[in-house]
DNA sequence: GCATGATTCAAACGGGCGTTTGAATCGTGC
DNA sequence: GCACGATTCAAACGCCCGTTTGAATCATGC
């Protein structure tokens, strides 16, 4: 029933006359960001893409598979870029262990590059991704853990060398916090900016943002092990 | 059309025979956590609560207003508890400024208390909340910024005193990161635990978690101001 | 220039959605 | 013990959903 892609291409003179598949992916990226997965209907999506309603099921199979395609289109290259950058840093450092900041850079820079690249969906995609992290739908959760498993394992190994005072378990938690702050920050809904009264007119916004995030995360990662007595559920007064 | 609450109460001998309103709120909290707002239908919700389909519209007006009621029921007391705890700490400290860790405790402890209180919805609510942070629906975003404005302003003021080396703007960003790591962590979907291969059998899970989160966040908040040259978008090799 | 398979299209399918309605029931104050 | 407002209930309303269908159109290889 599904087709192999034929060799046909529209002459690339008009940037708007892309593949049907690409037009669907672009419209989906935008609308999933604006309204979320559940609240975006295939009717408004195909209308925005200028394609027939049935095209999504024809090219992607289902709405869920379309969502996974939206994610994988950007996420696979970004995570590969992270791994490659980390490998390059390690090569350049020779036998010396990388600093925590350097490893963090290998995580943040590809995300920042993507966010600034309007031709690759820019910020739209990162918002969709940040929202997907919090989505309880099983097909999303399974997809994301599969997508991230390799990259996370690779970076955990690198951080372990850079932070020898941490146990494996402690590092796992701290990486969890890092991912939290990162996804929350990159997904950055406007309401939260409003909530914190951040002024965000600037276009180089994200660059400034990551320059602030990196020292924060590096300090957190390097923190000494906690006393396990700092937080007490004191009830009486 | 809407009614004032009458004095009627079922005899509290049976914990399951609550108000219709409370039963709806409890079922909504659970289902919104499991499936999200959009993916939860009023039919399954009212069936789970054991009430008539029309009861949601009768008691709350609409599905959206029900969602706000679910949030406000827990969030208002929790944020008030945070403010009160901070005030108590300040009183106890006299004229000395609070430490960063102490202020953080005032933020984290009420959340931890709530998360461990099964009678107040326990973890369910915090997941709903974490997910709401990432939701693009305007009615949710406006509601959340209104709910948080007072609490955040109060804590920002306290942190400013504890961290005199930070500018107001820098602190705003760091609080943004703190909220990100906190909400992501408390919302903690299982997929992310899976992704990071965290073993989470323990029931006192959340307590351990916050004991790890607090030193991480404190270190991040106390970090020296960044160089603004650490992150470079180097492209060539 | 026709056969073939890929793609597009309009239309319809069955079903679930949030909300409304108006009558039945309940609980209380008089 | 009755009147009245609060609450519950079954049923229906109108609408939009994701998906499927089968015919029309297109692009290509022979």
């Amino acid at each position: 029933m599904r087709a192999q892609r034929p060799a046909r291409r529209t002459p690339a003179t008009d940037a708007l006359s892309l593949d049907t598949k690409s037009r669907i992916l672009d419209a989906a990226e935008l609308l999933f960001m604006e309204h979320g997965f559940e609240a975006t209907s295939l009717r408004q999506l195909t209308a925005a893409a200028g394609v027939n309603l049935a095209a999504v099921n024809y090219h992607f199979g289902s709405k869920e598979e379309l969502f996974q395609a939206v994610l994988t289109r950007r996420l696979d290259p970004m995570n590969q870029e992270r791994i490659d950058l980390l490998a390059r840093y390690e090569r350049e450092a020779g036998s010396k262990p990388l600093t925590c900041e350097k490893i963090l850079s290998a995580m943040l820079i590809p995300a920042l590059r993507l966010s600034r690249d309007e031709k690759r969906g820019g910020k739209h995609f990162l918002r969709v991704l940040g929202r997907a992290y919090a989505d309880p739908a099983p097909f999303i959760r399974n997809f994301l853990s599969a997508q991230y498993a390799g990259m996370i394992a690779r970076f955990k190994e690198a951080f372990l060398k850079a932070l020898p005072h941490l146990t494996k378990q402690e590092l796992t938690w701290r990486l969890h916090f890092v991912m939290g702050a990162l996804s929350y920050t990159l997904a950055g809904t406007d309401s939260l900016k409003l909530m914190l009264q951040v002024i965000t007119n600037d276009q180089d916004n994200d660059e400034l943002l990551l320059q602030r995030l990196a020292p924060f995360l590096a300090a957190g990662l390097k923190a000494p092990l906690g006393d396990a007595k700092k937080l007490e559920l004191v009830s009486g007064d």
Side-chain angles (χ1 to χ4, degrees), chain A:
Chain A
M1 201 70 67
R2 196 82 57 75
Q4 312 295 102
R5 167 176 308 177
R8 182 178 71 89
R9 290 268 164 222
T10 60
T13 51
D14 184 2
L16 289 177
S17 70
L18 295 166
D19 264 338
T20 294
K21 265 180 111 157
S22 300
R23 296 171 63 167
I24 291 174
L25 285 171
D26 289 344
E29 194 167 60
L30 184 61
L31 288 171
F32 286 159
M33 173 201 67
E34 285 175 352
H35 311 301
F37 174 73
E38 297 280 356
T40 300
S41 78
L42 291 186
R43 280 172 177 81
Q44 69 177 137
L45 197 157
T46 50
V51 304
N52 187 271
L53 168 60
V56 167
N57 291 277
Y58 177 76
H59 284 285
F60 297 94
S62 67
K63 192 187 176 188
E64 290 194 358
E65 287 168 284
L66 167 61
F67 187 73
Q68 293 179 342
V70 166
L71 288 183
T72 211
R73 177 171 68 147
R74 314 281 190 207
L75 202 49
D76 275 349
M78 183 178 79
N79 278 343
Q80 190 55 53
E81 206 182 333
R82 284 168 157 167
I83 291 172
D84 291 347
L85 192 54
L86 179 61
R88 187 179 115 193
Y89 285 163
E90 284 173 341
R91 213 182 317 118
E92 288 172 359
S95 59
K96 285 175 293 184
L98 288 179
T99 64
C100 195
E101 281 81 0
K102 203 76 179 174
I103 304 172
L104 262 181
S105 291
M107 286 198 76
L108 302 190
I109 286 176
L112 180 52
R113 280 212 193 110
L114 175 53
S115 130
R116 306 186 82 206
D117 187 348
E118 311 256 332
K119 293 184 182 169
R120 281 196 295 161
K123 314 173 191 312
H124 298 169
F125 171 73
L126 289 168
R127 282 216 199 168
V128 174
L129 182 60
R131 186 163 155 66
Y133 282 131
D135 202 298
F139 86 95
I140 295 180
R141 316 219 304 219
N142 296 334
F143 178 81
L144 278 184
S145 29
Q147 288 288 313
Y148 270 97
M151 189 272 282
I152 289 286
R154 183 70 181 78
F155 274 80
K156 207 188 282 189
E157 174 201 347
F159 275 122
L160 259 183
K161 282 187 211 147
L163 301 163
H165 68 294
L166 294 185
T167 64
K168 250 185 190 174
Q169 213 186 8
E170 185 70 28
L171 176 62
T172 297
W173 282 111
R174 293 193 178 182
L175 278 184
H176 195 143
F177 306 145
V178 167
M179 295 297 292
L182 178 59
S183 75
Y184 186 87
T185 297
L186 288 177
T189 60
D190 300 323
S191 79
L192 294 163
K193 290 175 182 164
L194 233 170
M195 186 169 117
L196 290 159
Q197 296 158 349
V198 180
I199 300 127
T200 54
N201 304 325
D202 203 341
Q203 258 212 338
D204 300 275
N205 206 358
D206 287 324
E207 186 162 2
L208 279 169
L209 194 153
L210 288 190
Q211 275 174 6
R212 294 167 189 274
L213 180 56
F216 180 92
L217 294 179
L221 283 168
K222 289 191 282 194
L225 281 171
D227 275 355
K229 278 285 167 289
K230 280 279 165 58
L231 260 187
E232 284 156 18
L233 272 187
V234 289
S235 53
D237 52 329

